[in-house]
Amino acid sequence: MARVVVLTPNPAVDVTYRVAQQLVGATVRVLGVQRRAGGKGINVVRVLRSLDVDALAVQPLGGATGEAIRNQLAEDEIAAVNIDAGQETRTTVAVVDDMEHPTLYAEPGGKLSSRVWVQLLDAIANHCEPGGFLVIAGSYPPGTTSNQIGSLVAEGRAAGAFVVVDASGPALIAAANAAAHLVKSNEEELLEASGSVNLESGISQLLTLGAGAVLISRGPAGLELVSADGARESQIGVPGVFGNPTGAGDAATAGLVSALLGGASQRTALRRAAITGAAAVLSPTAGEILPSDLAVLDARLDAFADQLPTPKDSSLHKT
């Protein structure tokens, strides 16, 4: 059993091409290439490890790309439950320069069989523990149903875990409908998934469906956390941070979970999320932070303390 179990339903080998300038319709020379085990959940696990939180990575893997992920997780000494997907694991390609937002090409992945879904549920039941966390992060393979997503949430809740789901589209709605303790998305994804015209109505819809709390990432503008009991917290982003934003949201999720796991208040956990997300922006690789950056970024937030909302003594997760 594990205090934190992180499920990546649709993992990938993440390939990052660094170029001088992103151009459409032209031959672009690649200055550097990096290949690594990826997917939002695996990024979350990596950052949790940097924060000294032991986490178990659960994912379906198949083919040569799946084997590459399996080997890298083993080399990095990341505890993992790897389920045979019966098909090739997908690849994503990010094109990065120092001027524009990275361009991402994401393969859809393959549909998972009923056998794989049963094994994912078994992994949750066997490894989640009361008072711990289940984090489900990232996209879902084609053909995934709302019932299948809901069953993952239900299994985590039945095991006594605090269930966090970082999703978009119909998966976000399904997670809220399944009463995930916390659902996370960015502002654009929330509006698209809910069909709402503004942030407030979108958040209200997710809470009405059954989510215990909604966390909205607004990029440099920061984070917004609203609970079903009416508690609300806002956190500005760390000012003056520039770099690669790919994976920053995953790092923020890890920061939030690590703080809540330690019994932090909602206010403190949200601040930790903002700082950890900013640390990921400073890293050239998604799913990585330098722990030494955290204190520097924390101090930078203190320098802008007059812009912070008044702290509240509230708690989102209690063991």
Side-chain angles (χ1 to χ4, degrees), residues 33-51:
V33 182
Q34 186 175 61
R35 292 178 174 84
R36 69 200 309 268
K40 291 178 72 65
I42 291 176
N43 290 341
V44 170
V45 170
R46 289 186 184 280
V47 177
L48 283 170
R49 282 172 51 88
S50 296
L51 297 172

Side-chain angles (χ1 to χ4, degrees), residues 43 96 98 143 166 263:
N43 290 341
V96 179
D98 294 321
D166 184 350

